[in-house]
């Protein structure tokens, strides 16, 4: 069985963010056939085409490292019924310059997580719109909306909710199949 290298892109900057805790829980699940690594997006300057003349080092590193991943798992909160600016900025930086997108063709999945009751539904679907344009085949089912996140973790930030752990495990197994399917289709 091939092992897929998956970039974890977390749309939250807060040190104790629930989304960062979900990313940590995913790395700890150790799903066979998948290796997860966090990709930092908080240090990317806001996209401005004028900066393409002398590309910021963080942009260049980001653009250089992303192609080495087989797939991307986005984990995002919801801000004002959309994705946080830091995540949208990462999408923009990675999609430029025109015709050289690091996202194109990469299988993707989305987990949205919030302290509220809707599971960051709006952000999840708004992100899907951008991923369609970026040509990222995105896992459709199961959908992953994690609500009431404050109740999912213990005092040390470890995922304590067993039903969420089981769901994430099954979600990742499905994502692994999705990655394999889409990588095989690219070969044809």
């Amino acid at each position: 069985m091939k092992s897929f290298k998956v970039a974890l892109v977390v749309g939250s900057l807060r040190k104790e963010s629930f989304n960062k805790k979900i990313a940590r829980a995913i790395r700890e699940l150790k799903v066979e056939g998948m290796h997860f690594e966090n990709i930092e997006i908080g240090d990317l300057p806001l996209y401005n085409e004028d900066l393409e003349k002398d590309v910021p080092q963080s942009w260049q590193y980001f653009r250089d490292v992303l192609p080495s991943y087989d797939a991307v798992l986005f984990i995002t909160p919801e801000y004002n019924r959309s994705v946080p600016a830091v995540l949208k900025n990462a999408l923009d930086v990675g999609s430029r310059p025109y015709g050289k997108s690091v996202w194109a063709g990469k299988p993707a999945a989305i987990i949205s997580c919030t302290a509220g009751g809707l599971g960051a539904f709006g952000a999840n679907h708004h992100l899907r719109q951008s991923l369609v344009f970026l040509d990222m085949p995105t896992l459709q089912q199961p959908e992953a909306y994690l609500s009431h996140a404050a109740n999912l973790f213990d005092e040390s930030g470890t995922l304590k909710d067993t039903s969420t752990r089981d769901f994430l495990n099954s979600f990742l197994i499905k994502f692994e199949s999705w990655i394999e399917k889409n990588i095989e289709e690219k070969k044809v």
Side-chain angles (χ1 to χ4, degrees):
M1 170 184 254
K2 179 174 171 34
S3 182
F4 297 113
K5 187 175 167 187
V6 180
L8 289 174
V9 177
V10 178
S12 179
L13 298 176
R14 188 170 64 88
K15 183 179 174 184
E16 293 298 320
S17 109
F18 299 127
N19 291 269
K20 287 183 178 182
K21 291 175 183 178
I22 291 295
R24 184 173 76 202
I26 286 168
R27 286 191 317 274
E28 291 171 355
L29 284 173
K30 302 200 185 306
V31 174
E32 186 177 345
M34 301 178 86
H35 172 73
F36 297 96
E37 294 178 8
N38 281 22
I39 300 296
E40 180 56 48
I41 61 174
D43 61 347
L44 299 172
L46 289 176
Y47 186 77
N48 175 344
E49 190 174 355
D50 292 341
L51 297 178
E52 293 289 358
K53 295 173 188 149
D54 187 19
V55 175
Q57 187 175 8
S58 61
W59 283 12
Q60 193 60 56
Y61 175 78
F62 185 73
R63 291 170 176 173
D64 289 345
V65 76
L66 253 271
S68 71
Y69 290 88
D70 298 304
V72 181
L73 176 54
F74 295 95
I75 305 171
T76 187
E78 179 174 298
Y79 294 174
N80 302 312
R81 296 286 187 251
S82 187
V83 297
V86 68
L87 181 52
K88 179 60 169 79
N89 185 56
L91 295 176
D92 293 344
V93 168
S95 70
R96 305 292 197 285
Y98 183 79
K100 297 187 181 203
S101 174
V102 299
W103 306 113
K106 284 207 184 299
I110 303 167
I111 296 172
S112 53
C113 177
T114 183
L118 295 178
F121 176 87
N124 192 305
H125 284 263
H126 204 200
L127 180 54
R128 287 175 188 277
Q129 291 175 350
S130 293
L131 300 186
V132 167
F133 178 79
L134 294 172
D135 189 27
M136 297 183 79
T138 305
L139 179 66
Q140 300 300 310
Q141 292 291 330
E143 296 175 297
Y145 311 106
L146 304 180
S147 302
H148 307 291
N151 301 327
L152 302 178
F153 304 95
D154 65 18
E155 301 77 37
S156 69
T158 301
L159 183 62
K160 68 178 182 179
D161 186 79
T162 55
S163 64
T164 300
R165 183 180 295 109
D166 292 345
F167 170 75
L168 289 174
N169 195 61
S170 65
F171 177 87
L172 294 173
I173 290 168
K174 184 75 172 186
F175 185 35
E176 190 269 338
S177 296
W178 180 253
I179 296 167
E180 186 170 31
K181 175 183 182 250
N182 281 278
I183 287 177
E184 288 302 315
E185 285 181 5
K186 280 187 356 187
K187 291 179 183 176
V188 174

